[in-house]
Amino acid sequence: MNIVRIKPMWIYCFIVITGIVIVTMANGSKPANNQIHTYAPDFPSHYSSHEYPTNENGQSYGSGLDAAFSDTEPDLIKAYGMDGTLGYVKSTDLRGDMPRTPEEAIALMDSDSERQIPLYDVHGKKVIGQFKVGASSENGK
């Protein structure tokens, strides 16, 4: 039988090189001076902050589709009123009152209620129509 024998020197070199690689990788992942670093991905700018125009009252306005999160929505969100009029709804009106208890949250989720909120002009002062928020009998109810 021919058995290939590896010389002990090759085994020793392999172990040493593997150890060096492991130690180097482990040390390379530690922050210098025991500082703690957190990973924060670099989001494109349109995810974190969208530049909306502002009206003379200092309210931002635009499409809610440009906002990645609810806290980056404009103050006035573009919407079509119940009669098809194009205007803006206040983001605070759109969200409505937040439930104060878990029971209120469950009741709100289970309800098929709808409500109407004012539809404003771009200045956020003049009411030009109404916008319907919530369940609709037109959507299969």
Side-chain angles (χ1 to χ4, degrees):
M1 251 165 99
N2 271 337
I3 297 178
V4 177
R5 294 188 186 253
I6 301 175
K7 295 182 180 178
M9 183 58 123
W10 289 105
I11 294 173
Y12 177 76
C13 288
F14 176 77
I15 292 171
V16 169
I17 291 173
T18 303
I20 291 171
V21 168
I22 291 172
V23 168
T24 303
M25 289 175 60
N27 284 339
S29 65
K30 291 182 183 177
N33 301 325
N34 294 325
Q35 296 174 350
I36 297 175
H37 296 279
T38 58
Y39 173 72
D42 292 332
F43 288 113
S45 62
H46 66 276
Y47 283 138
S48 57
S49 63
H50 180 78
E51 293 294 324
Y52 294 102
T54 55
N55 60 22
E56 66 274 1
N57 299 315
Q59 297 168 306
S60 59
Y61 62 92
S63 172
L65 298 175
D66 293 332
F69 308 102
S70 62
D71 61 344
T72 61
E73 290 176 337
D75 300 318
L76 300 171
I77 299 173
K78 188 183 289 188
Y80 285 96
M82 294 170 57
D83 63 354
T85 303
L86 179 61
Y88 297 87
V89 294
K90 292 183 178 179
S91 60
T92 53
D93 291 346
L94 191 59
R95 282 191 216 105
D97 294 331
M98 296 300 292
R100 292 179 295 253
T101 65
E103 292 78 20
E104 286 181 7
I106 291 170
L108 183 63
M109 289 188 317
D110 289 342
S111 74
D112 289 334
S113 66
E114 58 185 41
R115 58 192 172 88
Q116 294 179 15
I117 59 174
L119 184 73
Y120 294 93
D121 65 358
V122 72
H123 307 292
K125 294 289 184 188
K126 182 179 177 186
V127 176
I128 60 173
Q130 294 292 312
F131 181 80
K132 186 171 27 175
V133 181
S136 172
S137 59
E138 300 165 355
N139 293 334
K141 293 251 174 200

